Amino acid sequence: EMDQKLKNIQNSFIISIVSLAVLSVMSLGAVLYATNAIDLRKNVTSSELHQLTENFPAVESYLNSQKKAEPHFIKIANLVKSDQQALLGRALLFTGIPILLFSVLLAYFLARKLVRPVEQTFADQERFLQDASHEMRNPLAALYAVVQDARTSNNPKEKDKALTTIDRQVKQLVKLNDDLLLI
């Protein structure tokens, strides 16, 4: 029963830590993707095309000389943005999955490390209960045997000896009980 309780605690703890790690990585990835994808989904307009090229005079002058081809340049710019969006998705996939796996493994090992003291405590408690049970049974078994012998004996000296043994065993049980209560 104690082992089952320990396993339940351990499993719950590990699931919580791993879930938190997965949620954190996925949230970070979703935020990064969303912030970049929003910008990449917008189509380039004529004014945006000119804004993009204003720091490049040669490109700006070429665009001005090719006004008829401006829709074609806008289409190319939008295709480039579309490719960037696909690249962003792939980059997120190829970086997100290893990060996710690493964080899950790290969370699992950290959770195991944190659960070890709980496991040790349960093991110590179980060992203590077994030892205490054993220590309590020995004097009780001796008492039972002495009482049985005293009942069947008609000799007063043997009955007196039995009472002395019972007295000693009861004192030992009282001391053991006091020690257990102190612990």
Side-chain angles (χ1 to χ4, degrees):
E1 188 177 320
M2 288 289 240
D3 286 339
Q4 188 58 41
K5 286 181 183 179
L6 177 62
K7 285 185 192 297
N8 290 343
I9 290 170
Q10 180 181 2
N11 290 339
S12 298
F13 189 72
I14 290 172
I15 288 169
S16 299
I17 295 290
V18 169
S19 299
L20 184 61
V22 168
L23 185 62
S24 298
V25 170
M26 290 177 70
S27 298
L28 178 64
V31 167
L32 289 174
Y33 182 79
T35 55
N36 289 303
I38 289 170
D39 288 339
L40 291 175
R41 283 192 185 126
K42 295 179 195 170
N43 282 333
V44 175
T45 63
S46 177
S47 63
E48 287 175 326
L49 186 62
H50 287 288
Q51 283 176 351
L52 291 171
T53 61
E54 71 185 354
N55 291 332
F56 304 97
V59 176
E60 180 70 25
S61 96
Y62 177 75
L63 283 177
N64 286 332
S65 71
Q66 300 293 320
K67 277 289 190 194
K68 291 180 191 175
E70 190 170 300
H72 177 68
F73 293 127
I74 291 172
K75 187 174 184 178
I76 291 171
N78 285 325
L79 286 173
V80 168
K81 281 187 111 176
S82 176
D83 283 348
Q84 286 177 333
Q85 186 176 7
L87 247 166
L88 176 66
R90 283 193 299 270
L92 185 63
L93 181 70
F94 290 123
T95 58
I97 288 176
I99 290 171
L100 182 64
L101 290 175
F102 176 74
S103 65
V104 165
L105 288 173
L106 182 64
Y108 175 79
F109 287 117
L110 287 175
R112 287 286 305 138
K113 186 176 182 176
L114 290 171
V115 168
R116 248 182 236 120
V118 175
E119 288 175 336
Q120 186 60 44
T121 301
F122 273 105
D124 291 345
Q125 182 181 11
E126 191 172 323
R127 193 171 35 256
F128 171 77
L129 290 174
Q130 289 172 352
D131 291 347
S133 173
H134 176 74
E135 291 297 320
M136 292 292 279
R137 283 191 190 121
N138 282 346
L140 288 173
L143 276 172
Y144 183 74
V146 170
V147 168
Q148 294 304 317
D149 285 344
R151 280 191 179 162
T152 58
S153 173
N154 291 331
N155 186 345
K157 284 186 179 183
E158 285 184 27
K159 287 190 178 197
D160 191 43
K161 183 179 175 186
L163 284 173
T164 303
T165 303
I166 289 171
D167 183 54
R168 187 179 69 240
Q169 293 294 334
V170 167
K171 284 178 183 173
Q172 184 179 351
L173 276 173
V174 168
K175 183 181 178 333
L176 185 60
N177 186 50
D178 289 344
D179 290 346
L180 286 174
L181 290 175
L182 182 64
I183 289 172

